[in-house]
Amino acid sequence: MIGNDGAGDEEPLFRPYAMTGGRAEPRYHLALETLVSSSFVTDEELALLTPEQDAIMRLCRSFRSVAEISALLRVPLGVARVLVADMADEGLVRLHQPQLEKGQPDLDMLERVLSGLRRL
C-alpha cells in the first residue's frame, strides 16, 4: 500500500480515508471497469502531485481499470475511485467509461478486465 514501508503485510502508516480527505464516495459514479489513462502534464505539474497521484499517473501510462488501480496500489476500491475521480476533475487523467447498450455490458471490455485481473 502507498505509505507502507514495504515490510510485508504490516498495517499502513495511515488510514486510507486520509488520502481522500475523509470522503468515501467519488463525486460521480465510476464503474469497476472504467478505464483510466494519464493525461499529458508538464514537469512543473508533476512536481506538485501527491505520492498517490504520481503512482496513479505512472500506472495509467497504459490503460488501467479502476479495479486494477485499486489492486496494484493496494488501496480499497472506494479510495481508488475517489482519487481517480478527483484526478479526472483536475485534468490529470482521462476516463473511458464503458458504453452500455440496452443495459448489457460490452463483452470485449469484460474480457479485457478479466484478463487484467488474472495477470494480478
Side-chain angles (χ1 to χ4, degrees):
M1 174 182 278
I2 297 171
N4 196 338
D5 63 3
D9 291 330
E10 292 180 15
E11 286 294 313
L13 298 176
F14 52 86
R15 301 246 186 250
Y17 64 82
M19 288 185 263
T20 64
R23 291 179 295 132
E25 294 291 324
R27 292 182 177 98
Y28 45 86
H29 177 73
L30 281 178
L32 286 181
E33 64 273 9
T34 299
L35 296 178
V36 183
S37 63
S38 298
S39 297
F40 175 78
V41 293
T42 65
D43 289 338
E44 292 82 27
E45 291 171 315
L46 281 175
L48 299 174
L49 297 178
T50 66
E52 298 82 20
Q53 289 173 326
D54 183 59
I56 291 170
M57 291 290 289
R58 291 177 192 281
L59 279 175
C60 295
R61 287 180 179 156
S62 58
F63 287 79
R64 300 281 185 174
S65 70
V66 173
E68 286 178 293
I69 294 168
S70 172
L72 292 170
L73 294 182
R74 300 175 122 184
V75 297
L77 184 59
V79 170
R81 282 180 167 150
V82 170
L83 293 173
V84 168
D86 288 352
M87 290 177 71
D89 287 344
E90 294 175 30
L92 297 171
V93 296
R94 289 186 214 102
L95 303 179
H96 309 276
Q97 299 278 12
Q99 300 298 317
L100 302 178
E101 297 181 88
K102 300 179 187 170
Q104 298 298 317
D106 177 12
L107 293 180
D108 290 334
M109 183 269 311
L110 288 176
E111 287 181 20
R112 289 193 310 269
V113 171
L114 183 58
S115 174
L117 290 173
R118 285 183 180 142
R119 285 191 303 252
L120 296 175

